[in-house]
Amino acid sequence: MDNSQKNEPKVKVDRASAKLSLVHIYVAYIGFAIAILCGLLQGLVRGGIMTLPSWLNYYQILTAHGVLLGLVFTTFFIVGFFLSGCARTSGGSLSPMARKLGWIGWYLMTIGTVMATIAILANTSNVLYTFYAPMKASPFFYIGAALLVVGSWFGGYAIFNNYINWRKQNLGKTSPLFQYMAVATMILWQIATLGVAAEVLLQLIPWSLGLVPDVNVLLSRTLFWYFGHPLVYFWLMPAYVCWYVNIPKIIGGKIFSASLARLSFILLILFSIPVGFHHQLMEPGISDKWKLLHVILTLTVVLPSLMTAFSLFAVFETTGRKKGAKGLFGWFKKLPWNDARFFGPMLGMLAFIPAGAGGIINASNQMNAVVHNTIWVTGHFHLTVGTSIALTFFGISYWLIPSLTGRIMTKALHRVAILQAVMWTFGMAIMSGAMHYLGLQGVPRRTDYTTYFDHPEALSWIRPQALMGMGGAVLFFAGVLLVGIIVYLVFYAPKGEEEYPISETQDAEERTPKILERWSLWLGIAAFLIIVAYAYPIYQLIDHSPPGSQPFITW
Ligand code: HAS
């Protein structure tokens, strides 16, 4: 029997595990608060609505915004969320060793974040969140980023330790679905971050310290994208955990199939790593054959998302029908639209339909030639991570924080949080819509405001760019509202018991195939695919490397 379907009595996360989880969530939201201010400024500047004072640089706030949201908010939130769910599905507490590892990870991640943030504030590291060489940041920035990654490894070790402990204590049983998914995500993360660790430790740190004169730019980008694509699945998989495991409980339903959910996570581990060249389709120096292989695998990684969509529709429809829904779409009305824990993540799911379609466009070689390096791509990731994932993380916060702090989400708070989700979606729709449109006109990404010496074409971009800035302003107010709700939930919400929603599966007799938990098999297949997709191209990049580049500081 699948353990995620056991009708457990209400289990509360104990104080020690809750504290560990909460400190992660707090840093995540501190990073979020600083990042949305940077987002407002850069939106208004890029929209031609304001100019920055001379002591502040556009690329500085752009770097802070990207690093704090893309790397800090997400990583801290994900580790905190997973630790709490692992505790909740292990009878309420993490194993003592898992707690120790979790704290080591948190300290390393926090020190790394502070170092990287100081380097950005000091105007020494305006290299954006992809820190592409040959733009050179201060060694502090790279060392800070490395500590953030190494710290997150410890977060992963904590989750692995707790899972191994659970399995030892429950011999022969299938693990809880939440833990299984957290382990799968952290396995993906450990494999993916090897690429960026190699780039930062072997190439960028020695180069930025002046120990080596130049850097192999194409190799560094390839190592970055080996990491960069699974990074987006590292953001996505926790949202899928919420959609698969938490949302069915919130809407009064059950998980459609735990085996399908597990299989989709295995497929994500297998196919989300050997695809990095789809970010480099327009780059010279990598042969078309390898790019084609990565594109084929990219289209394969769409499958688990389609499985997820199918499974979610099934949950919504069966739950609605059980509540008496009639007709083809009657179930839609039976969903709990007045519950903020559902409302935001649901808007996120809906946004993921066009967002995913945009991803498939990006992955098609010819269409990538139209959109690559344009602001379309920025629109794509604001719709995926900025809307689908962010709204899901906000929805998670509405039960996670109160259930860990011993407070409750009141009805009034639900209403405010629903307003927040509507504002966020509205702002994102305007901003991301304008970005997609402008991208198709050829507007480049990663640039400060300019009219290109009043070129007529660039002048025609001004209005939609202003719209983009206005969308950014709406987002800022929605972000401030969110921070207000989080502060209220932490310090002022009424005391009480908020449920930590973990769902059961629809079919109580469903048996999970044991093979899904045979990690050595999946790791072996993942390693095989990675070697096939990357070993030879990387060998070639090293063997035929052109003269390396000296560092550039462009700000
Ligand atoms: Fe992407 C660039 C391709 C998904 C994030 N992507 C980026 C960048 C980021 C990013 C950050 O092939 C920019 C990196 C940079 O700075 O340069 N992306 C894809 C593909 C997918 C995809 C094929 N991306 C994501 C996700 C992200 C993300 C997810 C963040 C979390 N992306 C690309 C490519 C590029 C790229 C190229 C490079 C572009 C370039 O040239 O630079 C797919 O995984 C998408 C599959 C998703 C679906 C949707 C399934 C729908 C679901 C929801 C169902 C809804 C329900 C609700 C059930 C097929 C699961 C319905 C309810 C009712 C009531 C109706």
Side-chain angles (χ1 to χ4, degrees):
M1 180 165 113
D2 193 303
N3 251 70
S4 52
Q5 70 195 37
K6 249 176 44 184
N7 201 355
E8 292 175 328
K10 267 193 191 172
V11 177
K12 261 182 74 70
V13 176
D14 69 9
R15 273 177 71 91
S17 310
K19 190 173 165 199
L20 175 61
S21 176
L22 280 169
V23 289
H24 283 85
I25 305 291
Y26 295 156
V27 180
Y29 276 110
I30 293 170
F32 178 88
I34 304 171
I36 55 166
L37 181 61
C38 298
L40 172 72
L41 294 178
Q42 100 207 14
L44 295 179
V45 171
R46 185 70 208 258
I49 299 169
M50 68 169 275
T51 47
L52 288 174
S54 56
W55 49 268
L56 197 58
N57 183 302
Y58 175 77
Y59 297 100
Q60 195 178 359
I61 49 174
L62 188 56
T63 305
H65 177 75
V67 169
L68 287 172
L69 282 180
L71 303 177
V72 173
F73 171 66
T74 48
T75 310
F76 275 91
F77 189 91
I78 291 166
V79 176
F81 171 45
F82 279 170
L83 289 171
S84 73
C86 290
R88 163 69 175 78
T89 53
S90 307
S93 67
L94 290 167
S95 67
M97 181 49 106
R99 281 205 302 275
K100 258 187 219 140
L101 291 166
W103 276 107
I104 296 174
W106 182 82
Y107 277 112
L108 289 174
M109 281 163 68
T110 308
I111 295 169
T113 301
V114 171
M115 280 177 75
T117 311
I118 292 175
I120 298 168
L121 292 178
N123 204 20
T124 62
S125 304
N126 303 345
V127 288
L128 314 190
Y129 89 104
T130 42
F131 43 88
Y132 268 1
M135 281 196 301
K136 192 197 80 139
S138 124
F140 273 100
F141 176 84
Y142 297 124
I143 296 169
L147 284 177
L148 176 63
V149 169
V150 174
S152 69
W153 286 348
F154 277 87
Y157 303 151
I159 288 159
F160 298 151
N161 177 274
N162 193 70
Y163 168 79
I164 293 168
N165 224 33
W166 188 95
R167 291 195 68 184
K168 275 190 195 147
Q169 288 168 3
N170 295 272
L171 285 176
K173 289 189 187 163
T174 310
S175 59
L177 183 57
F178 189 105
Q179 289 203 41
Y180 179 90
M181 292 177 141
V183 167
T185 310
M186 282 311 191
I187 287 179
L188 172 115
W189 184 240
Q190 306 280 335
I191 305 175
T193 43
L194 293 176
V196 74
E199 181 201 4
V200 169
L201 296 178
L202 304 177
Q203 290 193 284
L204 301 183
I205 292 181
W207 173 68
S208 70
L209 285 169
L211 301 175
V212 290
D214 47 38
V215 65
N216 179 337
V217 171
L218 192 52
L219 177 65
S220 75
R221 288 190 185 192
T222 302
L223 289 173
F224 182 84
W225 287 117
Y226 166 93
F227 151 81
H229 195 72
L231 166 70
V232 313
Y233 290 91
F234 174 67
W235 299 332
L236 181 66
M237 287 159 83
Y240 278 5
V241 173
C242 170
W243 297 356
Y244 274 115
V245 182
N246 308 117
I247 289 290
K249 177 80 177 172
I250 291 169
I251 66 169
K254 291 183 178 176
I255 298 165
F256 169 68
S257 159
S259 305
L260 180 140
R262 285 172 205 259
L263 179 62
S264 72
F265 268 52
I266 292 291
L267 294 179
L268 286 168
I269 295 182
L270 298 187
F271 295 116
S272 72
I273 302 170
V275 297
F277 288 162
H278 75 220
H279 291 265
Q280 297 176 282
L281 290 175
M282 296 302 123
E283 279 182 31
I286 303 166
S287 116
D288 286 348
K289 287 190 294 275
W290 294 110
K291 289 179 180 171
L292 176 67
L293 176 70
H294 283 229
V295 164
I296 293 170
L297 291 170
T298 304
L299 296 175
T300 318
V301 79
V302 172
L303 284 177
S305 287
L306 294 177
M307 285 161 62
T308 306
F310 170 79
S311 175
L312 291 167
F313 272 113
V315 172
F316 295 149
E317 184 177 348
T318 43
T319 310
R321 293 208 186 281
K322 259 191 219 134
K323 291 182 181 171
K326 298 263 178 315
L328 200 55
F329 295 111
W331 50 269
F332 188 80
K333 285 194 234 142
K334 299 281 177 187
L335 295 170
W337 295 105
N338 55 358
D339 188 332
R341 300 170 306 162
F342 163 76
F343 188 84
M346 182 60 170
L347 288 185
M349 290 176 214
L350 289 169
F352 200 47
I353 298 173
I360 296 169
I361 291 172
N362 296 344
S364 320
N365 193 51
Q366 291 85 338
M367 287 195 266
N368 187 269
V370 178
V371 299
H372 182 64
N373 266 344
T374 72
I375 203 162
W376 161 287
V377 176
T378 320
H380 165 67
F381 69 69
H382 278 88
L383 211 49
T384 46
V385 64
T387 312
S388 303
I389 313 281
L391 282 170
T392 304
F393 286 5
F394 303 163
I396 292 172
S397 305
Y398 300 146
W399 48 262
L400 182 63
I401 296 176
S403 76
L404 298 181
T405 53
R407 297 181 185 272
I408 47 166
M409 185 78 184
T410 59
K411 277 206 169 129
L413 264 184
H414 274 281
R415 280 198 287 274
V416 180
I418 285 172
L419 173 71
Q420 193 280 335
V422 171
M423 278 172 70
W424 188 269
T425 310
F426 179 65
M428 225 23 126
I430 298 178
M431 191 180 83
S432 168
M435 285 171 167
H436 277 92
Y437 169 79
L438 284 163
L440 292 178
Q441 312 301 311
V443 177
R445 65 184 287 203
R446 300 184 173 121
T447 54
D448 199 346
Y449 177 78
T450 169
T451 58
Y452 298 92
F453 302 108
D454 288 344
H455 189 283
E457 192 155 343
L459 293 178
S460 74
W461 302 337
I462 287 181
R463 275 191 184 188
Q465 284 187 166
L467 195 64
M468 203 173 82
M470 286 175 211
V474 176
L475 277 169
F476 173 72
F477 290 115
V480 171
L481 191 53
L482 174 74
V483 173
I485 299 172
I486 301 296
V487 170
Y488 186 81
L489 274 178
V490 173
F491 297 109
Y492 307 106
K495 298 261 180 196
E497 274 200 23
E498 183 79 34
E499 178 194 24
Y500 194 122
I502 295 280
S503 184
E504 303 167 15
T505 45
Q506 279 177 12
D507 178 1
E509 294 309 313
E510 181 189 341
R511 285 192 179 276
T512 302
K514 288 236 180 301
I515 195 165
L516 288 174
E517 211 138 4
R518 211 175 293 151
W519 295 107
S520 52
L521 171 70
W522 305 118
L523 281 172
I525 300 176
F528 171 75
L529 286 171
I530 291 168
I531 290 169
V532 169
Y534 269 114
Y536 191 66
I538 288 190
Y539 161 75
Q540 276 190 319
L541 288 180
I542 296 170
D543 199 39
H544 302 297
S545 84
S549 174
Q550 290 188 348
F552 284 86
I553 292 178
T554 50
W555 56 94

